[in-house]
Amino acid sequence: MTIRFDGQVAIVTGAGGGLGREHALALAARGARVVVNDLGGARDGSGGSATAAEAVVAEIAAAGGEAMANVASVTDAAAVEAMVAEVMARWGRVDILVNNAGILRDKSFAKMELADFQLVMDVHLMGAVHCTKAVWEIMRAQNYGRIVMTTSSSGLFGNFGQANYGAAKMALVGLMQTLAIEGAKNDIRVNALAPTAHTRMTEDLQGLPLEALGPDLVTPGLLHLVSRDAPTRAILAAGAGGFERAYVTLTQGDFAVGPDAPEQVAARFDAISDRTNEIVPEMGAAQGMIELTKAQKHHSS
């Protein structure tokens, strides 16, 4: 049951360092031809250089693998499309896309400039959209594809000073949920990875045992999510060698109508919040079905 990627082509964005570099190296070591995409900018997204991507390509080549560097900004849809066209001309297919590129512009919401909010959304969310859109029809034609969105506990659960980052990261979960549904008939499996790792993105954090949070300890989870036997619509958390699943769930709730419905909601909020028999919906319509079932039960009683 060894996971291999022989004959497959993988694109990894933000692969010039940190998690992306580990992902690229591991995919190459297991047989994939890898596109190492990295703008080469600073942690806040400023600047750019091919040095980081080319260094990872050199590492892969030195280990006997095959890779190509690309410095397209994921915020530039035309540049991303050109990257994918180059990959197709060279290798003829794209099997795996790892949307890993990201930046930070942390501040409390009160102090955050809207431009910093927009840029983080553009890189994380729209960057993933651009890359996914560029490979989507290729994967549909192949009847095969594996895509991973890099989400975060900051998006799933919140984190002070990261309203922009958290919003983008939770948006990627919504994107993953829908694309997994739409891609199922063509065996395009789409998942989300929520990593905890010591990279330049976390170098300012206090109180974490950073020596135990190597990015290489996250990559095994990524390899499963892009393998032939990958799940789909999974949110996999990973860090320090630990792996967990996160879920978006829906409670069974309660019913309230009439002039005092707001007061009923307030009075029954604990019952509405009760997680007994909660579900992980197969699609968004599940909410409406639960609500209509309660309404029908009320009107037939």
Side-chain angles (χ1 to χ4, degrees), residues 35-127:
V35 182
V36 179
N37 165 265
D38 201 292
L39 178 63
R43 190 175 67 162
D44 66 358
S46 61
S49 167
T51 303
E54 290 173 350
V56 176
V57 168
E59 283 188 80
I60 291 171
E66 190 173 357
M68 59 182 282
N70 182 275
V71 295
S73 169
V74 295
T75 64
D76 185 339
V80 168
E81 289 172 4
M83 172 183 70
V84 173
E86 182 183 359
V87 175
M88 291 298 290
R90 181 168 176 176
W91 289 328
R93 60 186 300 113
V94 178
D95 302 279
I96 296 165
L97 170 64
V98 181
N99 287 305
N100 174 76
I103 64 169
L104 289 177
R105 294 284 180 96
D106 290 358
K107 280 187 180 178
S108 67
F109 190 63
K111 297 178 180 179
M112 185 178 294
E113 299 289 339
L114 286 178
D116 287 339
F117 200 106
Q118 184 69 59
L119 182 59
V120 168
M121 294 294 289
D122 286 345
V123 173
H124 290 270
L125 176 58
M126 291 310 300

Side-chain angles (χ1 to χ4, degrees), residues 11-292:
I11 298 174
V12 184
T13 68
L19 283 163
R21 172 180 169 273
E22 292 294 340
H23 297 339
L25 293 174
L27 284 162
R30 289 172 179 257
R33 290 169 288 183
V34 181
V35 182
V36 179
N37 165 265
D38 201 292
L39 178 63
R43 190 175 67 162
D44 66 358
S46 61
S49 167
T51 303
E54 290 173 350
V56 176
V57 168
E59 283 188 80
I60 291 171
E66 190 173 357
M68 59 182 282
N70 182 275
V71 295
S73 169
V74 295
T75 64
D76 185 339
V80 168
E81 289 172 4
M83 172 183 70
V84 173
E86 182 183 359
V87 175
M88 291 298 290
R90 181 168 176 176
W91 289 328
R93 60 186 300 113
V94 178
D95 302 279
I96 296 165
L97 170 64
V98 181
N99 287 305
N100 174 76
I103 64 169
L104 289 177
R105 294 284 180 96
D106 290 358
K107 280 187 180 178
S108 67
F109 190 63
K111 297 178 180 179
M112 185 178 294
E113 299 289 339
L114 286 178
D116 287 339
F117 200 106
Q118 184 69 59
L119 182 59
V120 168
M121 294 294 289
D122 286 345
V123 173
H124 290 270
L125 176 58
M126 291 310 300
V129 170
H130 293 155
C131 293
T132 303
K133 185 69 172 175
V135 304
W136 191 254
E137 288 305 317
I138 295 168
M139 290 181 173
R140 276 167 44 90
Q142 293 172 171
N143 281 313
Y144 186 89
R146 301 291 183 264
I147 300 172
V148 169
M149 311 292 179
T150 304
T151 185
S152 171
S153 57
S154 294
L156 295 168
F157 311 115
N159 196 33
F160 187 91
Q162 292 193 315
N164 50 4
Y165 184 78
K169 289 304 192 183
M170 195 59 179
L172 287 169
V173 172
L175 178 63
M176 175 272 287
Q177 299 272 25
T178 295
L179 292 184
I181 294 170
E182 293 184 5
K185 65 182 179 181
N186 295 110
D187 195 21
I188 302 172
R189 304 184 193 182
V190 190
N191 294 288
L193 179 68
T196 304
H198 179 208
T199 68
R200 66 177 185 166
M201 299 284 276
T202 59
E203 61 190 11
D204 296 332
L205 296 181
Q206 303 295 320
L208 289 177
L210 299 180
E211 67 281 355
L213 293 172
D216 58 304
L217 299 176
V218 171
T219 295
L222 180 280
L223 295 181
H224 173 55
L225 294 182
V226 298
S227 68
R228 291 190 181 276
D229 295 326
T232 195
R233 293 187 71 188
I235 306 169
L236 179 66
F243 299 91
E244 306 82 32
R245 285 283 300 273
Y247 296 92
V248 179
T249 68
L250 187 67
T251 70
Q252 293 299 314
D254 208 336
F255 185 78
V257 295
D260 66 338
E263 288 76 19
Q264 293 181 51
V265 171
R268 300 177 192 168
F269 203 72
D270 285 347
I272 292 168
S273 304
D274 186 352
R275 300 184 65 175
T276 302
N277 296 323
E278 71 178 0
I279 63 168
V280 179
E282 292 187 7
M283 59 181 61
Q287 176 184 333
M289 293 302 298
I290 285 178
E291 292 161 350
L292 287 171

